[in-house]
Amino acid sequence: MTNIILLGPPGAGKGTQARKLVDERNLVQLSTGDMLRDAKASGTEMGNKVADVMAKGQLVTDEIVIGLIEEKLNNSTADGFIFDGFPRTLAQADALGKLLARHGKKLDAVIEMRVDDEALVARITGRFTCGNCGEVYHDQTKPTKIDGVCDACGSTNMVRRADDNADSLRTRLMEYYKKTSPLIGYYYANGDLFSIDGLAEIGEVAGAVAAVLDQQA
Ligand code: AMP
């Protein structure tokens, strides 16, 4: 049973590493960003409410994202979870601790993926994903083998996120430094924090994540 948080600014590689862990360790990825994008795409009342906030790169309310996570935890029989993009505020971190305790679970590790801002801009502005299976690509560093066709599932439905532009990124980074980075101190104080180099090549980062998890097992 493993429950981990991947912590880091937008573009740090949280989603990419979470997907690898899903494949390799049989954990369930809980990405509040994906849940919010799904709500937006299916046009729910909440989805419509958050669309504008997300496009600008601001954080949606704690109440909404905590509600999303609570619903998943209540309805899942999975053994372990990877929290990707949640928590992003101290209030969310407190709420997660209480939710896990209520389900008889605990946090095993918080993995901080360290990257510098310059690298983030390049990563984010070249990023696209497969709209069918969610595989993440990059124009320069990880293009598809056949132009416009997903290597993993063969879909031609490639999507670029509305908030992956320089303007939103600036706001998303500010939100990260103001509201999310205090979580580094919070989890360090709890003894749960492990910091790894998020700028290394994908396989090397995965190795560093695996080393943390194996050490906890
Ligand atoms: P992400 O896919 O994690 O980069 O999230 C995309 C956007 O969804 C963010 O810029 C926020 O607008 C919103 N969002 C995702 N997760 C959270 C969260 N835990 N708290 C507040 N807003 C969130």
Side-chain angles (χ1 to χ4, degrees):
M1 186 160 105
T2 313
N3 297 295
I4 62 166
I5 294 173
L6 295 180
L7 188 64
K14 303 185 295 292
T16 300
Q17 293 302 326
R19 288 175 55 77
K20 286 180 87 67
L21 290 169
V22 168
D23 289 345
E24 290 159 17
R25 306 231 173 195
N26 211 12
L27 301 175
V28 169
Q29 176 187 12
L30 294 183
S31 155
T32 39
D34 284 348
M35 294 173 208
L36 292 166
R37 276 184 291 279
D38 286 347
K40 198 177 96 178
S42 47
T44 65
E45 197 185 327
M46 183 271 279
N48 293 334
K49 207 164 104 187
V50 298
D52 194 40
V53 175
M54 289 176 73
K56 285 189 191 138
Q58 296 161 352
L59 294 189
V60 310
T61 64
D62 288 335
E63 194 191 348
I64 289 179
V65 289
I66 291 167
L68 288 170
I69 291 288
E70 183 168 14
E71 200 185 312
K72 294 280 178 191
L73 290 181
N74 288 345
N75 295 314
S76 174
T77 52
D79 261 355
F81 297 97
I82 309 154
F83 296 93
D84 159 14
F86 179 92
R88 265 177 156 97
T89 63
L90 288 168
Q92 292 176 24
D94 277 337
L96 178 61
K98 291 191 183 116
L99 279 174
L100 288 173
R102 204 188 301 154
H103 285 85
K105 296 182 188 297
K106 66 172 182 55
L107 205 54
D108 296 286
V110 177
I111 303 183
E112 182 210 355
M113 301 176 67
R114 274 184 286 100
V115 279
D116 65 53
D117 289 2
E118 289 295 302
L120 294 179
V121 177
R123 278 190 178 185
I124 293 252
T125 48
R127 173 162 86 171
F128 59 100
T129 55
C130 171
N132 181 46
C133 74
E135 188 69 17
V136 185
Y137 295 97
H138 189 279
D139 293 324
Q140 277 82 43
T141 56
K142 195 189 164 197
T144 52
K145 291 198 180 81
I146 304 166
D147 197 22
V149 181
C150 177
D151 296 352
C153 77
S155 167
T156 53
N157 176 23
M158 293 297 165
V159 288
R160 286 183 195 262
R161 283 172 46 169
D163 60 350
D164 274 353
N165 59 70
D167 258 4
S168 300
L169 178 59
R170 205 167 307 124
T171 308
R172 285 156 73 197
L173 277 176
M174 284 307 128
E175 292 281 73
Y176 178 78
Y177 290 123
K178 268 192 283 190
K179 298 175 185 165
T180 309
S181 67
L183 298 186
I184 296 169
Y186 175 96
Y187 286 119
Y188 175 76
N190 287 352
D192 293 326
L193 189 77
F194 298 83
S195 292
I196 62 168
D197 175 14
L199 277 180
E201 180 274 318
I202 293 175
E204 275 176 54
V205 179
V209 171
V212 171
L213 298 188
D214 293 342
Q215 190 183 318
Q216 293 310 98

